[in-house]
Amino acid sequence: MSIRLDETVPARTAWSHVLRKGEVLRIIDSEGQQAVDALFYAMPDGAERYSMQDTLLAMGGAYLGLGSVLMSNQGRPMLTIVADTCGNHDTAAGCCSCESNTVRFGQETRFMHACRENFISELSRHGLGKRDIVSNVNFFMNVPIASDGELVVTDGISRAGNYVDLRAEMDVLCVLSNCPQLNNPCNGFRPTPISVRITTAPDTALAGP
Amino acid sequence: MPLLEDLPPEEYRRRYDALLSAARARSEKRPTLPPPPLADSMIVQRETIPGGWYWSTFVARGMALRLVNTAATPGMSVLLWNADESVERLNVADTMKLQWTARIAGGHVLLSDMGRVLASVTADTCGWHDLLLGGSTAASTAARHGRSDLRNSRDNFLRAAGKHGLGVRDVPPCITFFAGVETDAAGRFHWRAGTTRPGDIVDLRAEMNLLAVVSNSPHPLAPGDAVARPVEVIVWQAPLAAADDPCRTCSPEAARAFANTERYLTDPARRPSA
């Protein structure tokens, strides 16, 4: 096992890195109840990217957890969740944006920082842009979908130190936004830092709580 | 206006809970929205889409797109873009999240990624439409029918987009009308049979100038025939939303999205859309 990257992602900020096939990205919810929005793009040009609808169809169920395969818009596996101490991650509710905030919470929320802002900035470092933003994964975000269709962002179930391990099934650009949302419960109304770690083999020696 | 960055957590929670309570109180009362009969003079465009095929059309503000499920085919998939700025496109996540439901139906709005209304669902005789699983793909048709030669919505959307100068980066998740998908207590998806009947209609009133693509390919969970039955699509002249329009007034969220849309449309720096 070899850790080639291990760093903190401050609250409300973006992060990106290319994961080589076979490597594992660990995303750690350091303080608990912190949503981490994630998008994935196949190298080299990102035209093939994470697809929420291909993924949900392949899974047959609404929530991501251990064993879930994140699929691309070409129906190919991009990453597999090979470890998960939290479960029930969302991929239906999308990322927050200044624009959607005004609809949901009122015009006075237009100038609050949001994941879309992070994504556009971070993607621009890789030659990508807003056209490349599609429905994302929301790790550690709890969005139950009821049988009558009700879809509600509720209090997160993650505890401090909970993590997911994502094994890359192809070379993939990973883009994260450590969500800054204050207007719904996804961050416990208090955005906090997370940690990320990239290893070149399954991280079995550091199994968490 | 004051910024909302520094409230205590309890205050953000209180505001959120109030919005949620209001949404739950509304959810029992879905409006009944029968489609109006169309005089020939109101019809701008019409097309019959054979099973497996697609059709693209502009739908200007002041017009509506009528989807007619003539023979109860299991699913018609749709994508919408702002015709004046195609970087603005249908966002299924915001459409569901901001209206607190995955069961989008008559009385709801279809939102773009810019907090604006692309279209209002002003008529709906079916009530079952899917934003979670979307439309068919090469992989889904191969898995379901064991054939790799079937037409599918994902490829249809790419071809249609290409003909308008758009590309793979411009094809986001889609919405499939006339497709009943239920989620059980464990979050598993189930196809609900019999949710659409011959002649079912959905009207999508354009709240801005739109580019629309309709793909006639069965929903990926639909059992039965591999090839869809023909459907009809009609573009017709529809009255603009009045102040008491059911879609505008169905929720405070929709009302704010309409306000965002009108602010955009009346921006004096843009060419007016109508």
Side-chain angles (χ1 to χ4, degrees):
Chain A
M1 170 206 69
S2 162
I3 299 176
R4 76 169 172 91
L5 181 144
D6 191 346
E7 56 195 28
T8 300
V9 180
R12 301 159 50 89
T13 64
W15 177 91
S16 64
H17 215 87
V18 174
L19 206 63
R20 298 292 168 201
K21 179 176 176 178
E23 292 187 324
V24 173
L25 169 65
R26 173 169 293 188
I27 306 173
I28 304 165
D29 183 0
S30 307
E31 301 190 25
Q33 289 198 322
Q34 176 58 53
V36 180
D37 293 38
L39 285 167
F40 305 98
Y41 301 86
M43 299 300 286
D45 68 356
E48 180 177 12
R49 68 272 183 98
Y50 172 71
S51 167
M52 152 238 183
Q53 289 181 331
D54 287 71
T55 298
L56 289 179
L57 182 63
M59 283 204 309
Y63 314 114
L64 282 78
L66 181 63
S68 295
V69 179
L70 279 57
M71 306 290 287
S72 78
N73 58 342
Q74 294 181 22
R76 298 202 298 156
M78 301 186 83
L79 303 111
T80 304
I81 300 180
V82 294
D84 183 352
T85 64
C86 175
N88 258 79
H89 311 281
D90 166 78
T91 192
C95 76
C96 56
S97 70
C98 303
E99 296 77 19
S100 63
N101 278 347
T102 65
V103 174
R104 194 147 147 80
F105 304 112
Q107 293 295 338
E108 66 272 25
T109 64
R110 179 177 291 280
F111 300 116
M112 298 175 76
H113 191 45
C115 284
R116 169 88 61 70
E117 306 291 299
N118 275 340
F119 278 145
I120 295 177
S121 295
E122 195 65 19
L123 285 168
S124 70
R125 300 177 53 227
H126 302 279
L128 302 171
K130 178 181 169 291
R131 291 164 67 196
D132 303 288
I133 299 175
V134 287
S135 290
N136 52 282
V137 180
N138 288 308
F139 291 107
F140 314 112
M141 189 156 131
N142 186 22
V143 187
I145 303 174
S147 57
D148 66 355
E150 187 191 74
L151 185 153
V152 177
V153 178
T154 57
D155 293 325
I157 59 172
S158 61
R159 306 292 173 88
N162 276 174
Y163 63 87
V164 288
D165 280 350
L166 310 174
R167 183 187 63 217
E169 308 300 343
M170 59 173 69
D171 290 352
V172 61
L173 169 65
C174 305
V175 184
L176 305 182
S177 171
N178 191 357
C179 181
Q181 179 69 276
L182 289 170
N183 297 289
N184 75 39
C186 69
N187 307 314
F189 305 102
R190 189 177 67 92
T192 52
I194 61 164
S195 291
V196 289
R197 180 184 303 159
I198 295 177
T199 56
T200 55
D203 196 357
T204 52
L206 291 176
Chain B
M1 68 186 62
L3 299 181
L4 279 185
E5 292 282 352
D6 297 312
L7 300 180
E10 314 83 65
E11 178 58 19
Y12 291 119
R13 178 181 292 282
R14 187 194 67 75
R15 289 168 177 246
Y16 183 76
D17 286 347
L19 291 170
L20 172 56
S21 297
R24 285 183 166 152
R26 284 191 305 267
S27 67
E28 303 303 319
K29 313 166 201 146
R30 300 302 319 147
T32 306
L33 295 173
L38 301 184
D40 284 347
S41 57
M42 298 161 69
I43 294 175
V44 174
Q45 290 266 19
R46 73 194 313 161
E47 185 62 79
T48 299
I49 309 177
W53 280 87
Y54 65 93
W55 186 60
S56 70
T57 182
F58 289 98
V59 188
R61 176 172 154 81
M63 298 181 186
L65 182 70
R66 172 163 291 187
L67 309 175
V68 185
N69 195 353
T70 315
T73 199
M76 292 170 65
S77 297
V78 172
L79 275 180
L80 302 173
W81 294 262
N82 174 348
D84 299 322
E85 285 189 276
S86 64
V87 67
E88 177 174 13
R89 67 276 309 266
L90 177 68
N91 188 297
V92 299
D94 284 351
T95 298
M96 293 187 286
K97 183 172 62 181
L98 275 50
Q99 297 179 99
W100 305 87
T101 182
R103 281 282 308 276
I104 298 300
H108 284 130
V109 292
L110 302 183
L111 294 172
S112 76
D113 51 13
M114 293 295 287
R116 301 182 190 124
V117 185
L118 293 170
S120 301
V121 189
T122 55
D124 180 6
T125 64
C126 172
W128 286 90
H129 315 294
D130 178 43
L131 285 77
L132 290 169
L133 303 179
S136 60
T137 65
S140 76
T141 54
R144 188 143 205 92
H145 303 292
R147 291 167 56 181
S148 59
D149 62 325
L150 291 174
R151 299 185 61 89
N152 64 83
S153 286
R154 175 69 53 70
D155 288 336
N156 283 343
F157 286 135
L158 287 169
R159 291 169 190 167
K163 295 175 183 179
H164 291 275
L166 303 173
V168 63
R169 301 165 67 194
D170 302 296
V171 178
C174 70
I175 174 169
T176 299
F177 291 95
F178 313 111
V181 177
E182 284 187 301
T183 310
D184 67 22
R188 307 295 299 171
F189 301 121
H190 301 277
W191 177 255
R192 184 177 167 122
T195 58
T196 187
R197 293 159 303 185
D200 261 339
I201 286 173
V202 162
D203 276 340
L204 305 177
R205 181 185 59 208
E207 305 301 348
M208 64 171 71
N209 295 336
L210 299 176
L211 171 62
V213 178
V214 180
S215 171
N216 182 10
S217 176
H219 186 278
L221 285 191
D225 300 334
V227 179
R229 294 176 275 281
V231 299
E232 190 175 23
V233 183
I234 303 171
V235 179
W236 57 282
Q237 289 168 321
L240 296 178
D244 63 348
D245 178 80
C247 293
R248 182 200 295 273
T249 58
C250 77
S251 66
E253 291 86 353
R256 286 190 284 265
F258 266 89
N260 285 344
T261 310
E262 273 144 19
R263 182 179 185 188
Y264 172 76
L265 294 172
T266 57
D267 183 349
R270 288 184 63 246
R271 263 179 22 181
S273 58

